[in-house]
Amino acid sequence: ENVSNFQIYPNPNNGSFIVIAKGIGIKKVPTKIYDGIGKLVNQFNISEGENPMDLKQLATGVYYLNIENATENEIHKIVIE
């Protein structure tokens, strides 16, 4: 069973949320956010523990957080209201 090492809360949110990363060690993991049509709107690196995000400049809607793990990409849907 594949259990995600990444959690996002709250979701839905107002553009301010936390990405929790577990079990990734000391490395930083590249992360990109795309809008509903696949346009890259933000990118950053996340590290072990809680990573506060502030994307309040984005319009309301559905976005996709693409976490580029070593073995696979993990995609999480984020709803900004």
Side-chain angles (χ1 to χ4, degrees):
E1 184 179 336
N2 186 11
V3 177
S4 172
N5 290 328
F6 303 95
Q7 295 178 317
I8 298 164
Y9 81 89
N11 194 17
N13 59 67
N14 64 357
S16 179
F17 58 95
I18 295 174
V19 178
I20 300 173
K22 296 179 182 172
I24 63 172
I26 59 171
K27 65 184 175 184
K28 294 200 178 286
V29 179
T31 303
K32 296 177 180 174
I33 296 186
Y34 296 93
D35 65 13
I37 59 170
K39 178 183 169 195
L40 179 66
V41 295
N42 207 325
Q43 57 186 342
F44 44 84
N45 292 320
I46 59 174
S47 51
E48 181 79 16
E50 294 190 359
N51 297 270
M53 300 290 144
D54 182 1
L55 300 175
K56 290 182 179 176
Q57 77 277 12
L58 295 178
T60 59
V62 176
Y63 294 86
Y64 296 92
L65 185 76
N66 183 4
I67 300 169
E68 299 175 4
N69 217 348
T71 55
E72 63 184 332
N73 282 4
E74 193 170 305
I75 299 173
H76 294 266
K77 183 166 85 171
I78 300 170
V79 178
I80 298 178
E81 310 187 305

